[in-house]
Amino acid sequence: MARVAVGGFQHETNTFSPIKAAYADFEAPDAWPGLTRGGALFDAVAGMNLPAAGFVQEARGLHHELLPLSWCSAQPSGHVTRDAFERIAAMLLDDLRAHGGIDAVYLDLHGAMVAEHLDDADGEILRRVRDLVGAGVPVVASLDFHANISRQMARCATALVSYRTYPHVDMADCGARAARVLHDLLRGTQVASYLEQVDFLIPLTSQSTLAEPLQSLMREAESAERPPLLSLCLAPGFPAADVADCGPSVYACGSDVFVLTTTVRQVAGELRRREHEFALELYTIEQAVAELTRVDAPRGHPIILADTQDNPGAGGNADTMGLIKALVARGVRGVLAGVICDPDAAARAHAAGEGARIEVRLGARSGTIGDTPLDASFKVAALGDGRFTGTGPFYHGARFELGPMALLEVDGMRIAVASRKQQAADQAMFRHLRIEPADHAVLALKSSVHFRADFGSMASRILVVEAPGPNIANPAKLPFTRLRPGMRTSPWRGSSSPHR
Ligand SMILES: [Zn+2]
């Protein structure tokens, strides 16, 4: 039995978003717990699809003594403030110091956090932890699928373990894998690590592991993770990050340097060989509406419009109205849209009561250029307190706290409204307002890919729409200045990679 310190600090930073993540954003619960320190941490994450939850369960099964640090996350946004980063990092380090005499450290990190003063914030956390515990203590971190893995992260952690699915249905499972890796390290396995960064950015909507090429690439990467390798990460990266380490990478750690370097090179080579398969398929609003008017969705199988550029799971604010207004203007019927973040509209609906009519200027609160509210008279069709539990494979067990919610109806369209932003990736977000998504002809969802976990099987078609929003779907349109030399901002479209 070993004494293992357990903590977490997760943020996915879209450096192009002007809205920063402050300390209060990490304190507030959303789908996942707010900042939790000490013994309450283990109960706070229990039963959720979170790496820390999977780690705790597995490590307890392996009979280790777990010592809590702190755990927190905030919605993806612009830079983490220096204040938030330094306060939370100090909390982790202070608690680690206070426990004293620990045998190992586990951290639940994202891997694409950028702070105001640190381009590689996750690497900096790992560096500080390594400096504190010394060279001999295993430090294992689990990372998101969208981690932009840096050399500092690879050097300062003993082992990194990352998710293999997008939608991320294996977050808890990844934590459990990290626990098994840490267990092996505690039994004395000596490891080295190797990282290879790949030189083209992959758009988020081309990264789903439910589709090619990542479906088979990830399967191959998973099967390559076998002794003498302890871990192999194929991380497609988070592209909306203007930092030198932005981009896909392949990482491995294991006891045989030759095997781990050749395996990493092989997996990275296969990723490069299939670069052209990552090319984007986006619809303009006009093209999407034309598709809707051309074909009818079969009953129970809506056409899903992924409003990816306003996905709050990637730095959007869930309040742009471009797509919704176009659907209203063109008289498309049977639409369910959401979830729009507009606390004022939700409060107005609650004050008026179910069945009432309210005049609201809905959405467009965050100031996305060219976006305007939907100015209309809405019927308040349902109200909710925003507290419910996730039921889909991605948000499974998540205890949502979205503040007052309302279902507003206008011209044959239903719009779910919440007081806090949250990616529309779980049917429970709509069922909380007593409606079934499958009963609609069209779903317009504020999500890029995660919605596919719970909505994918009902969809007759999925169209990814390039409507106004801050989460630019095509990385080639982003004003990068800090990528490493030679980095290409979109996948090569030719039939073979420019490397060959
Ligand atoms: Zn992710």
Side-chain angles (χ1 to χ4, degrees), residues 10 12 110 144-147 163 165-166 168 171 204 207 237-238 313 394 450:
Q10 282 220 19
E12 180 179 82
H110 184 287
D144 193 276
F145 181 90
H146 296 111
Y163 314 164
T165 58
Y166 185 30
H168 306 333
M171 293 191 282
L204 281 184
Q207 291 188 2
F238 182 66
F394 173 62
H450 283 314

Side-chain angles (χ1 to χ4, degrees), residues 49-68:
N49 178 27
L50 282 176
F55 180 89
V56 167
Q57 193 178 11
E58 188 76 8
R60 280 181 172 157
L62 293 164
H63 306 295
H64 294 301
E65 182 191 353
L66 303 184
L67 308 164

Side-chain angles (χ1 to χ4, degrees), residues 445-471:
L445 301 178
K446 297 285 189 187
S447 178
S448 295
V449 170
H450 283 314
F451 73 88
R452 289 175 187 260
D454 203 23
F455 296 85
S457 61
M458 76 168 73
S460 55
R461 281 188 74 189
I462 294 172
L463 310 179
V464 181
V465 186
E466 197 175 20
N471 170 39

Side-chain angles (χ1 to χ4, degrees), residues 188-264:
T189 306
Q190 294 297 312
V191 294
S193 68
Y194 184 68
L195 174 73
E196 191 161 311
Q197 295 176 318
V198 174
D199 47 9
F200 61 92
L201 299 182
I202 305 177
L204 281 184
T205 54
S206 303
Q207 291 188 2
S208 174
T209 53
L210 299 174
E212 291 298 345
L214 267 172
Q215 189 170 47
S216 54
L217 284 169
M218 203 54 80
R219 209 181 311 122
E220 289 160 22
E222 183 172 354
S223 65
E225 186 189 83
R226 55 177 184 270
L229 298 193
L230 269 192
S231 168
L232 186 135
C233 307
L234 166 52
F238 182 66
D242 193 12
V243 295
D245 290 305
C246 182
S249 58
V250 182
Y251 160 96
C253 71
S255 56
D256 184 318
V257 174
F258 177 76
V259 176
L260 78 96
T261 49
T262 48
T263 308
V264 165

